[in-house]
Amino acid sequence: MVAADHLLPCSSNPAAVGRRRWSAVAPRRLAALVAVVVAALQLVGIGGAVAATPISDPTNVQVLVNKQRPLNPLRYVPPDLVWGPGGHQMRSVTSSALGRLYAGAAAAGSPLATVSAYRSYDQQAALFASYVNQYGLAYAETISAHPGHSEHQTGLAVDVGNADGSCFGNTPGGRWVAANAWRYGFIVRYPNGYTAITGYTWEPWHLRYVGPALAADMRNRGIATMEQYFSTPPRPAFATAADLGAIDPAGTLWSYPATGRGTLGARVAVGTGWGGVTSGAVVDWNGDGRLDVIGRHTDGTLWFYPGRSTPGLGAGVLLGTGWNGWAITPGPWVNGRATSIIARGPDGVLYQYPNVGNRLGARTVIGRGWGTMTTTMVDVDGDGRQDLIAKRTDGLLLLYRGNGAGGFVPEARAVLGRGWNGISSVSVVFGFAGAGSTGVLARTAVDGGLSYYPLIGGRFAPRILVGSGWSTYRILT
């Protein structure tokens, strides 16, 4: 195991961590993410709730430490460090709570182990510098903190893993932690789908001790991050990877913020004049940690609309022409690379178009014989590599597992579902049913019903009806 902010859930490549839509996947220039790191409580459906005052005292277990809020003093050392479970230093209050959490996990059949805990300012500086040297500054800032900005320096953060050393996020141990950490005063500090808020990729192993009161309050109120709990600034167009975008018949683009409890909140208008967009997707295209929109217009042009830290989207940037008749699926197809586009041409050939400087690079053929199948990109099996779910015209859903290097695992294709020929739209969402959850929102063509299909253990669980009346909307994937 490695003493790092960013552990490896199933792959030796840090970029293989379970990705969000798709703000957690590509390298990000998070230096520009100043105003986004905090987000509105409203985005999780809290309505008019009043935000708590951020805590700055480093000895307080509720201290808020992030990219914009360094420790004070910068070289703070906790006065009550002890050797906790697993032989790692941490604050005494963290150690006691962690011991109880480990006992609970073991009793549930999911024994856990400590991988990393307290790190000094100098240790964090060396670790961050090593990531910069290995991956470059932009990507390093999504997986590790600058010295003085790390939760590990507080002695309140612990990276945990399965006792057998296996991958974590989508294992029974990872799921137990996501569901039960709050009972012991911990939260999963960087949940899936909240990169635009926290500034970090999903870290299902990174537990932060905040005390039983705050952990329970966050859970009861459906608040996923400390940034949301303590702040209420203007909300971006798409603040989390659980939000849904849809264009109405009048050409207005709407954002439907997810509550984090399996429902959608009151919609917010993103902009008008979207009537000419025939299909689109919400994705972090330019790697700045904000969710953008890729849209194809009736004239076959493909455009990139950058997300902002404030409501609305930036001016469109032309990516290409001649895209009519193509099925487009943006996402982090190649581990460690920027978000790219998987596109199925009218001839059934499947291509990957890499993102080169926020433009489309030279395409590569990755498959043939795809006919008129439509695709959805998501890490189905939780191995840290993106997969494609292909829907055939007969309604059969097939799983094409990705190898993380731009191709597919050579194997017989597993069947994920049947009877999906009546589904007219599929959108991948992260955190829709709570921190750490993954699934899809699917619309039924015949009645416009919108349902949530949780993805659990590499399979779809029974659907949950979210709403109706979506027939006339063009839903972004």
Side-chain angles (χ1 to χ4, degrees), residues 21-24 26-38 68 142 194-197 199 235-241 282-293 304-314 339:
R21 189 214 206 151
W22 293 112
S23 64
R28 295 171 182 77
R29 295 184 298 277
L30 286 178
L33 193 61
V34 174
V36 181
V37 171
V38 289
Q68 276 64 54
T142 69
Y194 291 84
T195 298
I197 296 172
R235 185 183 186 280
F238 299 98
T240 80
V282 177
V283 61
D284 180 11
W285 177 255
N286 61 0
D288 65 355
R290 304 184 183 106
L291 291 168
D292 314 310
V293 170
F304 150 58
Y305 298 90
R308 305 186 306 199
S309 60
T310 54
L313 296 168
T339 297

Side-chain angles (χ1 to χ4, degrees), residues 259-283:
T259 65
R261 300 185 295 273
T263 58
L264 294 171
R267 69 181 186 178
V268 178
V270 177
T272 59
W274 288 78
V277 176
T278 57
S279 64
V282 177
V283 61

Side-chain angles (χ1 to χ4, degrees), residues 9 42 56 68 81 89 104 144 208 277 280-281 305 311 315 322 334 353 382 439 448 463 466:
Q42 291 95 317
S56 300
Q68 276 64 54
L81 288 175
Q89 280 189 301
S144 186
R208 163 65 194 275
V277 176
Y305 298 90
V334 180
Y353 287 81
R463 69 179 183 178
V466 175

Side-chain angles (χ1 to χ4, degrees), residues 302-325:
L302 191 67
W303 293 79
F304 150 58
Y305 298 90
R308 305 186 306 199
S309 60
T310 54
L313 296 168
V317 177
L318 181 65
L319 293 179
T321 60
W323 285 87
N324 280 333

Side-chain angles (χ1 to χ4, degrees), residues 111-129:
L112 302 173
T114 305
V115 178
S116 180
Y118 169 72
R119 287 197 292 273
S120 69
Y121 178 96
D122 291 333
Q123 288 172 324
Q124 185 65 32
L127 178 65
F128 183 77

